[in-house]
Amino acid sequence: MAPPTRPSRPASSSASVPPPPSGGGCPFLHGLGGELHQLAGENNPVLTTQQGIPVGDDQNTLRLDARGPALLEDFHFREKMFHFDHERIPERVVHARGYGAHGFFELTESLSDITKADIFQRKGEKTPLFVRFSTVAGNKGSPDLARDVRGFAIKFYTKEGNWDLVGNNIPVFFIQDAIKFPDLIHAAKEAPDRAFPQAQTAHDNFWDFISLMPEAVHMALWIMSDRTIPRSLRFMEGFGVHTFRFVNAEGHSTYVKFHLKPKLGLQSVAWNEAVKINGADPDFHRRDLWSALNSGDFPEWEVGVQLFDDAFADAFPFDVLDATKLIPEEDVPVRIVGRLVLTRPVDNFFAETEQVAFCTQNVVPGIDFTNDPLLQGRNFSYLDTQLKRLGGPNFTHIPINAPHVPVQNFQQDGHMAMRNPKGRANYEPNSWGAEGGPREDPQRGHTSFPAQESGEKRRARPEKFADHYSQARQFYLSQTPIEQRHIADAFTFELSKVETPAIRERMVGHLRLVDEALADAVAGGLGLKALPDAPKPARAPINDLPPSAALSIVANGPQRFEGRKLGLLVSDGADAALLSALIEAVDKEGAQLELIAPTVSGITDSKGVSHKAQQRVEGGPSVLYDAVAVLLSADGAALLSQKPEARDFVSDAFAHAKFIAFTKEAEPLLEAAGIKPALQDNGFVRLEKADDAARFLKTCGALRFWEREAKKPA
Ligand code: HDE
């Protein structure tokens, strides 16, 4: 427990923190230990060493007299320091920054005819699970709003053992063959000579690699879209990416792609907002998930499957084994078969989120792999990486990785073995009868689908893999105009950070094969005098694939403000009736509210009622909120108009196309922020009477007033 700091003002009688130790004096002198005891509650347990030995003094090392040398004999000091010195384990080579939570999967439609996987048999049955969300490129301490793919890895603790679905929030991937993964990641992460830039792809190495790998063009469109700057981990989709197999009790196989659709709809932030959020709250996503879980707003996703057979796979213009392609929902609808609900945060971040070890090869009977060359490579890589990260082969003994069913085998020993065979038998076959331990079960056990394979051993890819532009174009044309504009802006931003003109031009050349108008916009943004030549595609693109509405975020918005957050800028003397109407409207909508005030102690409204603030103006910029309301007294507006942070609060909300509610008294602040009455479009709501609060919250359901941004010159 951190000792409380001495308050600079007289402590109020309602203060619940314990008083600081009395008597003053230097805290490093012996004797303080006794006074610190006053800070503890009556029933605090006794501090012990790792050996369980009660500790008498945790403030002073054992030394020869107060000013003498430290003594080697101090086993408590040595043990404490030894353990601290070894607290770190290697961070993940990719997806280092992550956040996990526990929850469950509930089956809403049985798939027993399609798969024998136990988890998909009984409608209404719940299976516990652990999810870890992550960014890919940044190191463990990198900011949450980096432009990056988000990992969406799920460990299902099924009755037939652990099934790991290690997916992303984007349905396709950069590369087709696992052998290119180390190159992709090296190119994306910081350059080895300078160790920057970190957690971003806006640099030469990344775009050099991508522009030389046409297969990455489809994914490049996705990562330059708003998908890579999600507003919340709760508002993004999840995808298994690869084609897997379901196998039923008769041994029949059906291809399957896994989907997760957020119950609260999709939502992303604007790029300029992301940049500012990273400064204002680098932990924005984890804080959001933490607060949602702790306030009982359990995030939920629909779990769906796309099921298809060989006939579909053969007729589909692309190869279903190619992870750079998706199957449009219009071609194979997503059948919703369950729901995934997150219900609680971890008890300990390290023990659970850091030590959780996902492995793509963890599949249960009824689920099997296909020959997707990326998936097959992953099946090697994940097991391999856990050994390095967790230090030995027994990482499955760590509670977060242990299945919720008995583990019975003859594996033994190794570092930190917690689970070893009991009795004499540590091998099989053996002739020790009932004492001889577990045996294989050909009926219940996992059996691989007996796919017929033949052909030459070669380093080659199937012909259909060579189409790199058709689905990139389809994705681009499936976006709303504002999203298309964001894609062009993102390419322009990233390529403007690339110092080598030839790389910029090579990338724009690829974009010409996606959409000439996109290439033109990016070339214009980069100031290119002429459009570079497009490369010769390895396979002629199909240019008339129909747009797929499911690929747009804006088209799939929730049309409600539930789960979102309103930032309410207030001052002393704010209209009491409007304030309570806003509080009520937010609550009714299932949204959250934060009060931002001149000081964090809060304000007193026009009726003399005090309200606590969650943020001080200087620490609560509008980028942290989905919509804002400005409820000020005339004095409050005069005061805040002098503060650049208050002016930015309003002007940023305006620039980020947010809905803004305001009272008449707040107008001077709007004016000071450069928002003249003529600029007050339909994204503004005047708060005059209590009813306006509910009307405003309904308006906020559109999440952003994109028309405002559309009016800005390209
Ligand atoms: Fe991963 N990936 N990956 N990946 N991946 C890892 O495993 C790898 C790929 C994904 O929260 C590593 O435990 C290869 C696709 C997630 O702990 C490593 C290839 C998809 C996570 C690894 C891929 C993913 C990882 C690093 C190309 C989406 C975080 C640490 C063949 C379907 C899991 C670790 C977590 C993590 C290898 C491609 C998703 C090194 C070789 C495609 C969500 O094993």
Side-chain angles (χ1 to χ4, degrees):
M1 184 172 115
T5 48
R6 197 178 290 277
S8 58
R9 288 165 187 249
S12 81
S13 54
S14 65
S16 58
V17 285
S22 59
C26 171
F28 301 109
L29 281 182
H30 70 275
L32 187 72
E35 285 168 355
L36 284 176
H37 284 162
Q38 295 169 12
L39 297 178
E42 277 189 3
N43 298 319
N44 288 53
V46 174
L47 185 77
T48 73
T49 66
Q50 292 282 14
Q51 305 300 331
I53 302 161
V55 172
D57 183 342
D58 194 36
Q59 317 305 321
N60 303 289
T61 44
L62 186 68
R63 59 178 75 89
L64 196 67
D65 201 24
R67 301 184 65 237
L71 298 180
L72 198 58
E73 181 187 318
D74 188 348
F75 61 85
H76 169 51
F77 164 76
R78 277 192 294 128
E79 182 203 76
K80 184 175 175 181
M81 198 55 78
F82 147 80
H83 199 278
F84 171 74
D85 289 344
H86 299 277
E87 274 177 13
R88 295 285 172 275
I89 61 170
E91 66 173 36
R92 288 166 174 80
V93 58
V94 277
H95 295 265
R97 174 136 183 114
Y99 209 60
H102 295 269
F104 65 84
F105 166 74
E106 182 181 349
L107 190 71
T108 53
E109 189 193 319
S110 172
L111 283 173
S112 55
D113 53 332
I114 309 282
T115 173
K116 64 179 177 189
D118 187 75
I119 180 175
F120 292 114
Q121 302 305 304
R122 295 164 296 276
K123 187 177 158 179
E125 189 169 292
K126 291 182 179 167
T127 302
L129 53 81
F130 185 75
V131 169
R132 183 175 179 273
F133 300 107
S134 49
T135 50
V136 179
N139 296 337
K140 213 180 145 200
S142 54
D144 278 351
L145 254 297
R147 178 180 286 285
D148 202 350
V149 187
R150 297 300 181 289
F152 197 138
I154 313 166
K155 195 179 275 295
F156 297 89
Y157 302 98
T158 86
K159 288 181 177 155
E160 293 279 299
N162 288 353
W163 170 38
D164 292 357
L165 183 63
V166 196
N168 277 345
N169 76 330
I170 287 180
V172 291
F173 201 63
F174 291 96
I175 48 170
Q176 296 174 327
D177 189 314
I179 201 169
K180 296 311 297 168
F181 191 68
D183 300 290
L184 166 73
I185 299 306
H186 288 174
K189 284 203 157 216
E190 61 271 34
D193 55 353
R194 62 210 71 184
F196 65 83
Q198 133 100 275
Q200 53 185 302
T201 50
H203 56 96
D204 284 57
N205 274 9
F206 180 75
W207 288 106
D208 185 33
F209 179 78
I210 297 295
S211 62
L212 295 169
M213 295 285 291
E215 71 200 55
V217 169
H218 185 195
M219 180 72 164
L221 265 287
W222 279 83
I223 60 167
M224 291 301 105
S225 80
D226 296 342
R227 295 264 174 174
T228 45
I229 40 174
R231 151 66 177 85
S232 162
L233 303 168
R234 299 176 293 135
F235 308 153
M236 59 182 209
E237 289 180 301
F239 302 92
V241 175
H242 310 281
T243 299
F244 291 86
R245 278 182 197 280
F246 270 155
V247 183
N248 70 8
E250 288 75 47
H252 179 76
S253 151
T254 306
Y255 294 116
V256 54
K257 276 183 179 276
F258 296 101
H259 292 249
L260 293 119
K261 293 176 177 287
K263 258 297 187 33
L264 292 175
L266 290 167
Q267 189 188 345
S268 286
V269 299
W271 172 240
N272 179 267
E273 212 181 344
V275 170
K276 291 175 176 169
I277 292 173
N278 282 338
D281 184 5
D283 304 310
F284 188 69
H285 279 155
R286 53 173 67 179
R287 194 189 302 281
D288 171 87
L289 184 56
W290 164 267
S291 325
L293 291 168
N294 283 304
S295 57
D297 292 335
F298 299 145
E300 184 170 335
W301 284 261
E302 289 179 328
V303 179
V305 287
Q306 279 180 303
L307 301 171
F308 55 95
D309 57 13
D310 277 312
F312 172 85
D314 294 343
F316 189 56
F318 310 102
D319 199 317
V320 299
L321 301 183
D322 175 358
T324 68
K325 310 293 190 300
L326 53 84
I327 299 180
E329 292 187 26
E330 288 74 9
D331 293 358
V332 179
V334 176
R335 186 166 146 190
I336 303 301
V337 296
R339 62 190 196 113
L340 184 157
V341 186
L342 295 179
T343 52
R344 68 180 168 96
V346 297
D347 290 329
N348 181 278
F349 181 86
F350 179 82
E352 295 156 78
T353 308
E354 198 56 17
Q355 293 199 119
V356 66
F358 294 96
C359 291
T360 52
Q361 78 273 22
N362 291 352
V363 289
V364 288
I367 301 179
D368 205 357
F369 312 114
T370 59
N371 289 345
D372 176 339
L374 209 59
L375 178 58
Q376 305 234 330
R378 292 179 77 196
N379 288 346
F380 163 75
S381 178
Y382 286 68
L383 183 61
D384 190 43
T385 206
Q386 310 309 350
L387 190 67
K388 170 80 179 172
R389 221 165 57 73
L390 298 167
N394 289 320
F395 63 86
T396 51
H397 298 195
I398 300 171
I400 192 72
N401 295 321
H404 292 192
V405 290
V407 172
Q408 299 149 172
N409 57 45
F410 300 103
Q411 295 171 28
Q412 66 172 29
D413 302 354
H415 282 291
M416 316 291 168
M418 303 286 147
R419 217 172 43 210
N420 285 295
K422 280 204 175 116
R424 178 176 189 169
N426 59 354
Y427 62 92
E428 62 91 24
N430 62 50
S431 56
W432 306 125
E435 257 116 73
R439 293 291 189 269
E440 67 212 18
D441 181 338
Q443 267 71 50
R444 223 187 109 184
H446 189 278
T447 38
S448 299
F449 176 72
Q452 297 272 341
E453 308 288 357
S454 65
E456 292 169 3
K457 189 191 286 182
R458 282 199 292 155
R459 292 185 185 272
R461 290 187 203 179
E463 211 184 301
K464 278 198 212 165
F465 275 46
D467 180 330
H468 303 315
Y469 301 99
S470 309
Q471 285 206 341
R473 177 177 173 78
Q474 181 182 37
F475 174 75
Y476 182 70
L477 296 180
S478 303
Q479 306 301 305
T480 58
I482 198 74
E483 292 172 297
Q484 291 187 340
R485 185 179 174 139
H486 289 170
I487 291 172
D489 286 349
F491 271 113
T492 307
F493 178 93
E494 298 256 323
L495 295 177
S496 296
K497 295 278 181 189
V498 168
E499 291 164 12
T500 312
I503 298 176
R504 291 182 210 144
E505 289 171 21
R506 200 155 61 212
M507 204 55 226
V508 176
H510 286 297
L511 295 183
R512 294 192 65 183
L513 295 174
V514 176
D515 183 71
E516 282 287 358
L518 170 64
D520 209 36
V522 177
L526 293 171
L528 300 188
K529 298 266 177 304
L531 272 179
D533 289 338
K536 190 172 168 348
R539 190 178 162 99
I542 308 166
N543 280 331
D544 57 356
L545 292 175
S548 162
L551 302 181
S552 156
I553 295 176
V554 171
N556 293 289
Q559 295 308 323
R560 57 187 204 280
F561 202 60
E562 185 186 351
R564 272 70 186 176
K565 203 187 241 182
L566 179 72
L568 179 50
L569 184 60
V570 285
S571 69
D572 280 336
D575 187 298
L578 286 174
L579 182 51
S580 44
L582 272 171
I583 294 172
E584 196 182 313
V586 167
D587 193 47
K588 220 168 164 185
E589 207 60 34
Q592 292 139 23
L593 177 74
E594 277 198 356
L595 259 56
I596 305 111
T599 75
V600 77
S601 298
I603 57 130
T604 306
D605 69 21
S606 59
K607 283 199 180 142
V609 178
S610 27
H611 300 265
K612 279 190 198 144
Q614 282 71 46
Q615 301 287 352
R616 176 175 179 244
V617 173
E618 285 79 353
S622 60
V623 291
L624 302 180
Y625 307 103
D626 295 292
V628 300
V630 192
L631 202 60
L632 306 174
S633 61
D635 286 351
L639 171 80
L640 291 180
S641 298
Q642 306 300 314
K643 291 195 182 231
E645 295 84 358
R647 297 198 297 268
D648 288 351
F649 184 93
V650 185
S651 60
D652 268 356
F654 181 73
H656 301 144
K658 287 180 184 165
F659 290 101
I660 302 175
F662 64 102
T663 52
K664 190 170 167 11
E665 294 74 19
E667 277 184 73
L669 175 61
L670 267 58
E671 291 247 5
I675 305 169
K676 306 261 173 288
L679 289 174
Q680 289 169 18
D681 49 37
N682 290 341
F684 284 80
V685 172
R686 279 178 177 276
L687 296 173
E688 285 166 355
K689 48 191 186 326
D691 287 357
D692 296 335
R695 186 167 59 86
F696 171 58
L697 263 291
K698 284 276 166 263
T699 312
C700 290
L703 302 182
R704 296 293 161 105
F705 185 67
W706 291 122
E707 289 91 322
R708 187 183 301 149
E709 192 182 315
K711 271 197 210 135
K712 280 196 289 187

